[in-house]
Amino acid sequence: MSDTGDTITITGNVATPPELKHTAAGVAIATFRVASGQRRYDRDAGGWTDSGTNWYTVSVFRTLAEHAYRSLQKGDRVILTGRLRLREWDNGTRRGTAIEIDAEAIGHDLRWGTTTFEKDSRAATIPTSQSWPTVQAGDAWAAPGVDGAVETAEAEEAVHPELAAVGSSPGSTEHEAETPF
């Protein structure tokens, strides 16, 4: 087996229903195939023509495997990125090379449709009591224009009062004509 360690990003269609299995240790693994059609511009014909399809076996692990299994269906258009693996195989009568991707991120290709995101309740969140690090005056790594420490949203509004109306209630008339962008 050759592990190239290369990162690859592809777009394509889920070609097989995702299968979910668990190892003896309880690690979730989902696998499915993706067909990535290749197109090229044919100057003679004056248009795009199909020039073949690349087939990839995709493996997904742990929480991403569970999410992929629940979210993806055969035929879905996806974008995925992961580590490329090339594996030589020989079944006695035929030999070949399997192209596999260990996916690190997967999402629906929104150019072809819409999707709805549902956050996993087990996902880690930042506690509300935790504050962002303070920026000290004269800090060489501070963002341009930051003169002192900004510890809370109230302090930010004091520095930038025009931002106080952003996200305010619908009945607010103070800055209706202005756009902060």
Side-chain angles (χ1 to χ4, degrees), residues 35-74:
S36 179
Q38 304 300 305
R39 301 193 75 189
R40 63 176 181 82
Y41 188 76
D42 185 349
R43 292 180 194 243
D44 297 334
W48 291 93
T49 61
D50 292 331
S51 61
T53 301
N54 290 332
W55 294 87
Y56 301 93
T57 299
V58 179
S59 298
V60 191
F61 302 93
R62 297 175 183 76
T63 305
L64 183 57
E66 295 170 359
H67 292 168
Y69 178 74
R70 291 195 323 252
S71 301
L72 302 178
Q73 298 177 24
K74 181 178 176 180

Side-chain angles (χ1 to χ4, degrees), residues 120-180:
D120 188 345
S121 61
R122 298 175 293 176
T125 59
I126 298 173
T128 56
S129 62
Q130 181 178 353
S131 63
W132 294 101
T134 59
V135 177
Q136 301 299 323
D139 185 354
W141 291 100
V146 175
D147 295 328
V150 177
E151 295 181 358
T152 64
E154 292 81 19
E156 183 67 22
E157 288 176 9
V159 175
H160 300 287
E162 68 277 7
L163 296 178
V166 176
S168 61
S169 64
S172 176
T173 59
E174 186 175 327
H175 293 285
E176 282 183 358
E178 295 180 29
T179 304

Side-chain angles (χ1 to χ4, degrees), residues 21-109:
K21 297 178 181 175
H22 290 84
T23 66
V27 176
I29 302 172
T31 58
F32 54 94
R33 301 266 293 157
V34 172
S36 179
Q38 304 300 305
R39 301 193 75 189
R40 63 176 181 82
Y41 188 76
D42 185 349
R43 292 180 194 243
D44 297 334
W48 291 93
T49 61
D50 292 331
S51 61
T53 301
N54 290 332
W55 294 87
Y56 301 93
T57 299
V58 179
S59 298
V60 191
F61 302 93
R62 297 175 183 76
T63 305
L64 183 57
E66 295 170 359
H67 292 168
Y69 178 74
R70 291 195 323 252
S71 301
L72 302 178
Q73 298 177 24
K74 181 178 176 180
D76 285 354
R77 183 77 176 179
V78 294
I79 300 173
L80 65 89
T81 187
R83 288 181 312 278
L84 180 66
R85 290 190 305 141
L86 303 175
R87 185 177 51 84
E88 302 294 327
W89 58 270
D90 183 352
N91 67 3
T93 59
R94 294 178 33 189
R95 295 172 43 158
T97 302
I99 304 170
E100 301 175 348
I101 299 174
D102 290 340
E104 296 171 351
I106 305 171
H108 286 109
D109 187 346

Side-chain angles (χ1 to χ4, degrees), residues 107-124:
H108 286 109
D109 187 346
L110 298 181
R111 182 174 20 161
W112 301 99
T114 62
T115 191
T116 302
F117 179 78
E118 181 180 324
K119 187 173 181 177
D120 188 345
S121 61
R122 298 175 293 176

